Amino acid sequence: MRKKDTQQRSEPAAQTPGTNEALPRASRASAADGAPIRVATVEDDAVCLQALAHAVETAPGLSMVWMAANRREALSLLPRQPLDVLLVDLGLPDGSGLDVITAARQTWPDCAVMVSTIFGDETHVLRAIEAGAMGYVLKDLSAQELVAEIRSLHAGGSPINPMVARKLLLRHTVQAAPVEAVAAPASVPLVSPSAREAETLRLVSRGYTVDEVASALGVSPHTVQTFVRRIYTKLQVNSRAEAVREGARHGWLSED
């Protein structure tokens, strides 16, 4: 028995294709917990990369499938196996992370992509959303906080940095006024939100996660996700950023 244990521990760690870094072990979630959330990341900062890898490795129910340090490597690894969540930095040494986002959405449509970057300006945010990103956070988060956002994204949320959300909100609120004056009447009447749905959207616009909204409203995360789906349906949108923009345009974020 001891000999067998020794042999098992001496097995070499799997290597990430195209790198010399050892691939982090799969999470320690038991079979009873179901399949782990399959995570990959594209990050050229070695310190950030290793911190996130360690956080994912030690988090129950998560598994780091692969890590890439540049655009070329990410595009090479992307088709090899399905992913649940992909984290992408936009400023890569050999090109833009937007190319990786677009490729990920085409290769694995069910994969949720989240940007983790230093760029918080409107241009980068809007281009990332247009490419298919479902979340957008800045690099002021710790690795543990980023893991929490990964869980939120996989659960159906759309994590977005509060400062970024506010910029989008202000930008589209200002632009909405002249557009509304000349816009043709909508072909489908807009269904007003319930009080809980409106409060959910207000909290989402401030950057709250699904769990934080649930705590603030005194309901379960599942109920919050139901509210979010109803909001998306009523506004005819597909992302948190679109919901905040359209909600602001229709006056849903007002607290009166």
Side-chain angles (χ1 to χ4, degrees):
M1 186 66 178
R2 292 182 179 176
K3 182 177 180 181
K4 182 178 179 181
D5 290 341
T6 302
Q7 291 174 340
Q8 290 177 337
R9 285 193 293 270
S10 64
E11 292 178 357
Q15 296 292 317
T16 305
T19 71
N20 293 322
E21 296 291 343
L23 184 68
R25 295 166 292 176
S27 72
R28 297 176 177 78
S30 65
D33 293 330
I37 299 171
R38 297 163 297 187
V39 182
T41 185
V42 188
E43 171 60 68
D44 65 323
D45 186 310
V47 174
C48 291
L49 191 64
Q50 291 304 317
L52 177 60
H54 176 73
V56 169
E57 174 187 359
T58 55
L62 298 185
S63 173
M64 183 67 82
V65 177
W66 53 259
M67 299 179 293
N70 54 56
R71 171 186 173 278
R72 178 192 58 78
E73 188 178 4
L75 293 177
S76 172
L77 293 171
L78 193 56
R80 300 193 180 187
Q81 60 189 112
L83 299 173
D84 296 311
V85 174
L86 175 63
L87 266 65
V88 180
D89 188 3
L90 296 181
L92 300 173
D94 59 346
S96 173
L98 295 174
D99 296 336
V100 181
I101 297 174
T102 300
R105 297 295 296 156
Q106 293 173 346
T107 306
W108 308 113
D110 293 332
C111 175
V113 182
M114 180 162 62
V115 170
S116 175
T117 184
I118 61 172
F119 302 114
D121 59 282
E122 296 168 11
T123 299
H124 281 93
V125 177
L126 294 175
R127 286 180 179 174
I129 293 172
E130 289 168 359
M134 299 176 181
Y136 199 105
V137 296
L138 300 183
K139 287 188 176 180
D140 54 357
L141 296 180
S142 68
Q144 288 71 25
E145 289 172 327
L146 201 51
V147 165
E149 299 292 28
I150 289 172
R151 294 190 188 280
S152 173
L153 185 70
H154 185 256
S158 297
I160 186 167
N161 176 271
M163 181 185 72
V164 171
R166 183 173 180 81
K167 283 183 179 180
L168 292 176
L169 175 60
L170 293 174
R171 177 179 188 270
H172 290 289
T173 298
V174 170
Q175 289 185 345
V179 172
E180 288 176 344
V182 297
S187 57
V188 179
L190 185 68
V191 180
S192 298
S194 67
R196 282 300 182 93
E197 290 166 358
E199 181 61 21
T200 296
L201 185 57
R202 282 193 287 270
L203 293 173
V204 165
S205 73
R206 298 170 188 164
Y208 280 51
T209 65
V210 170
D211 288 340
E212 289 170 340
V213 174
S215 177
L217 297 182
V219 298
S220 70
H222 177 75
T223 299
V224 172
Q225 290 166 21
T226 299
F227 291 156
V228 170
R229 284 193 293 271
R230 290 175 183 170
I231 291 168
Y232 282 13
T233 299
K234 290 179 178 181
L235 290 173
Q236 300 179 40
V237 298
N238 298 301
S239 71
R240 175 181 293 208
E242 289 178 324
V244 170
R245 181 187 67 207
E246 290 302 308
R249 191 166 73 88
H250 292 291
W252 288 16
L253 299 184
S254 172
E255 299 189 19
D256 24 308

